[in-house]
Amino acid sequence: MAALVGAIGLLPWLSRTDPALTVLKARSADRDPTPETLRAIRDQLGLDDGPPALLGRWLGGLLHGDAGTSWVSGGQVLPGVVQALGASLLLMSGALVVAAGTVAAVCARTLRLGSRGRLAARGPGGTASAVLAALPEFLVASVLASVIGVQLGWLPALGWYGPQWMVLPSLALGLPAGAILGRMLDDLLPGAFAEPWALAAAARGVPPRSVARQAVRRCVPGLLPNLGLFVVGLTGGSVAVEQIFDIPGLGRLTLQAALAQDLPVLQTGTLALVLVAALAGVLARLSARLLIGPALRDGALHSLHRPGPTAPRALPLLYGALLAAVIGFGLPRDALALDTLARLRAPSLAHPFGTDALGRDVLARVSHGALTTLGIALAVSAAALVAGLLLGLLPRLSGPLVDTVAAVPPVLAGLLVAGIAGSGPWTPAFAVGVVAWSPLAAHTSSLLRQERATTHLAATRALGAGRWYLLWHELLPAVLSPVARHALLRLPGIALSLAALGFLGLGAQPPSPEWGLLLAENQPYAERAPWAVLFPAAVLALLGALAVTAAGGVRLPRRRKRPESPAGPPGERVMPPRRQRNSPDALLAPVPTSVSTSPAEER
């Protein structure tokens, strides 16, 4: 936390810009930056004293309950941050309610079949939840605000004045988060239903509702650390949603302070986010221990991740073929060709996805943007997976790091990285990679904690297995598969975060055809030309469906061959196969042989 606050205090000097000029532009964009005006701002703020002196004065006042005054507005910082934190926490609570309902809808089918012992009849699914998890929050917020809030007028779309103003932003935040959590819970439930207690409960006639409730209770501890990260992300990372609905939350306040280099507000807001993250992490770990009970201490758990055969599923091949067809069909087209006479044209044979506000072909821009967006997103996801696994194996080291890194919004991380390394094509990749490993590390640590308390691990240890054998042959195989599926589930979000940071000026600039840029550039024309937004969003959702379904493996179903009836000469009776000599039955019964009898002998 000290390193993070110190880096924020160095942000104006790391970005190699004049802090006085940035503050002047934030106060009044019309004033001329004369040397006298800039000198007055430096003297007023004490910028010539250097970062250590400024940070020391801020910390000294913070110990006495005074976070200083804003460099832009001149008001007290602490009351404004507390008010913004209250709005963000209220929005977060509404989003968690929506997320809980979404989780219940995603897992309803698995719970119904598993509680009745018919989980083997469950076919491959999850496409709807994958599409929902892949949709960006600001796109969901824009659609809800324009359709439900403006066109239909059912709910207010702007402002923060009462419970009615919470509904739409809570839906925009809770639906994607609930889809991701629901997919993670649905991945754990089959292992819980296969445990001995569930089989015994079904055999004794325990009501299916009770079995389903206990299965959820068994799987929730593995998700609580990620739930804590979602709480932090919904509190400070919902910058786009707060801007669209004009909500005075902490994420929006922190972003505005970062852009204006208002250090007292930025440092106090970041400190509040870190404290919320630490509190959420501690509560998540305590709740996990309370839910599991003494089984975690006594090593009496069963593994939820038993290796099994891959279920037949051809959906990844279908989604991959569709995505490849879209990209291949648009690559021969020019993504930068302008045609002002064909602005916002509807889809046609000449332009299957329509055109944007500058007359450029949307299909061409989607196809060309896929090459860079998907390539960098795959590289960042792979690096985040490796870092998450390695740091998750060291929970005492990664726990505080996860809580601190999770409190940093991606936009703020992008600003810090850009200030240190400068803007460039790899700046968004490095900024997203800095924070993308934290949910994977939390997931790894949570699963590892439960896997260490399993009975089969205690038995393997009692047989003389060492630490390295247990790590490579027992722990890693049980943890790697669910964490890899989690990483695939976050692949579309990483792709969108990369392009969103590029749109903010921290990476690739327009007219680059990145997917996030396409959505952000065409968002103002969503009512007049909805195809300019819907088609890029549909391709992004297709990527999410491909990532989620491919996480379960790809295997084409095979035809089952009917067993052929044994044939033989008439009158010959085929006896059952010989019993094994070392089986107990072989000692109690004679070995049967094939004999040939006539009809008279049979009678």
Side-chain angles (χ1 to χ4, degrees):
M1 183 175 62
L4 177 61
V5 174
I8 291 174
L10 294 173
L11 181 60
W13 289 268
L14 291 175
S15 59
R16 293 175 291 275
T17 59
D18 189 359
L21 179 61
T22 306
V23 172
L24 177 63
K25 294 298 183 183
R27 289 179 177 179
S28 177
D30 299 332
R31 294 185 61 182
D32 294 330
T34 60
E36 293 78 10
T37 305
L38 296 179
R39 172 58 59 185
I41 293 177
R42 290 192 187 94
D43 295 339
Q44 178 187 0
L45 303 179
L47 296 177
D48 293 335
D49 297 338
L54 292 175
L55 183 60
R57 285 199 294 266
W58 176 76
L59 289 174
L62 193 63
L63 295 177
H64 298 87
D66 182 15
T69 58
S70 172
W71 288 1
V72 177
S73 64
Q76 292 293 321
V77 172
L78 193 58
V81 171
V82 171
Q83 184 178 0
L85 179 61
S88 295
L89 292 178
L90 191 60
L91 177 60
M92 178 265 295
S93 61
L96 286 180
V97 173
V98 176
T102 307
V103 170
V106 171
C107 301
R109 184 165 172 264
T110 302
L111 289 173
R112 183 178 68 254
L113 295 177
S115 60
R116 289 168 172 81
R118 293 184 295 161
L119 202 58
R122 186 187 65 163
T127 302
S129 60
V131 170
L132 188 59
L135 292 178
E137 296 173 351
F138 74 85
L139 179 61
V140 178
S142 300
V143 172
L144 292 177
S146 60
V147 176
I148 298 179
V150 178
Q151 295 182 1
L152 300 178
W154 291 349
L155 292 169
L158 294 176
W160 189 254
Y161 305 105
Q164 294 181 351
W165 282 263
M166 285 182 54
V167 178
L168 293 182
S170 299
L171 288 173
L173 289 174
L175 289 176
I180 295 177
L181 288 174
R183 291 295 305 173
M184 295 173 62
L185 179 60
D186 193 72
D187 185 45
L188 296 175
L189 284 174
F193 283 121
E195 289 185 342
W197 67 266
L199 302 177
R204 293 296 301 269
V206 177
R209 182 176 299 178
S210 300
V211 177
R213 184 170 60 251
Q214 294 301 325
V216 172
R217 183 179 183 274
R218 171 70 179 89
C219 298
V220 161
L223 301 179
L224 282 176
N226 275 276
L227 181 60
L229 297 183
F230 272 102
V231 168
V232 179
L234 294 176
T235 303
S238 56
V239 179
V241 176
E242 291 179 355
Q243 287 185 341
I244 291 174
F245 291 102
D246 196 19
I247 299 174
L250 187 58
R252 182 184 178 188
L253 178 66
T254 305
L255 176 61
Q256 293 175 351
L259 295 177
Q261 296 185 358
D262 192 352
L263 291 188
V265 177
L266 181 58
Q267 290 170 337
T268 308
T270 306
L271 182 62
L273 288 175
V274 172
L275 293 178
V276 171
L279 180 61
V282 170
L283 292 179
R285 295 182 183 91
L286 291 178
S287 301
R289 291 184 178 275
L290 291 176
L291 285 175
I292 297 177
L296 187 65
R297 182 188 67 245
D298 299 336
L301 292 176
H302 289 269
S303 178
L304 292 176
H305 307 285
R306 298 177 180 177
T310 304
R313 53 176 71 215
L315 286 178
L317 300 178
L318 176 61
Y319 296 144
L322 289 177
L323 185 61
V326 170
I327 296 175
F329 189 65
L331 283 179
R333 300 168 177 263
D334 190 356
L336 302 178
L338 301 178
D339 188 0
T340 56
L341 299 179
R343 297 176 62 251
L344 301 177
R345 289 276 182 89
S348 60
L349 293 178
H351 305 285
F353 284 5
T355 60
D356 61 3
L358 297 178
R360 296 172 296 189
D361 189 80
V362 176
L363 175 60
R365 294 183 64 76
V366 169
S367 300
H368 286 268
L371 300 179
T372 56
T373 303
L374 293 183
I376 298 177
L378 286 174
V380 173
S381 299
L385 176 60
V386 174
L389 284 173
L390 293 179
L391 291 175
L393 295 177
L394 304 171
R396 294 185 179 180
L397 172 65
S398 63
L401 287 176
V402 168
D403 294 340
T404 306
V405 170
V408 182
V411 176
L412 181 57
L415 291 174
L416 291 174
V417 172
I420 298 174
S423 299
W426 291 100
T427 299
F430 189 73
V432 174
V434 167
V435 298
W437 61 269
S438 57
L440 302 178
H443 197 190
T444 302
S445 299
S446 176
L447 297 179
L448 188 67
R449 186 182 304 111
Q450 296 190 49
E451 198 67 25
R452 283 175 174 172
T454 55
T455 54
H456 76 89
L457 194 72
T460 307
R461 188 184 296 110
L463 292 174
R467 292 183 178 181
W468 289 105
Y469 181 89
L470 294 176
L471 176 64
W472 288 105
H473 294 84
E474 300 293 339
L475 295 178
L476 277 181
V479 171
L480 181 60
S481 180
V483 176
R485 289 193 291 268
H486 185 189
L488 280 175
L489 189 63
R490 292 184 175 271
L491 176 62
I494 289 178
L496 188 70
S497 299
L498 292 171
L501 289 177
F503 177 74
L504 293 176
L506 303 178
Q509 299 291 324
S512 176
E514 288 185 333
W515 287 357
L517 292 178
L518 297 181
L519 293 173
E521 290 174 349
N522 297 323
Q523 182 183 347
Y525 310 98
E527 297 183 8
R528 181 181 174 185
W531 54 84
V533 176
L534 292 180
F535 281 113
V539 176
L540 185 65
L542 183 62
L543 172 64
L546 172 62
V548 173
T549 53
V554 181
R555 183 168 69 87
L556 293 176
R558 299 177 180 178
R559 287 185 179 180
R560 295 183 178 179
K561 296 182 179 181
R562 295 182 178 180
E564 299 179 357
S565 58
E572 182 176 350
R573 184 173 59 192
V574 180
M575 302 301 292
R578 295 176 180 267
R579 293 185 177 91
Q580 298 293 332
R581 288 291 183 180
N582 56 354
S583 65
D585 293 340
L587 304 176
L588 302 177
V591 178
T593 58
S594 298
V595 296
S596 178
T597 59
S598 64
E601 289 175 341
E602 286 183 351
R603 288 195 297 269

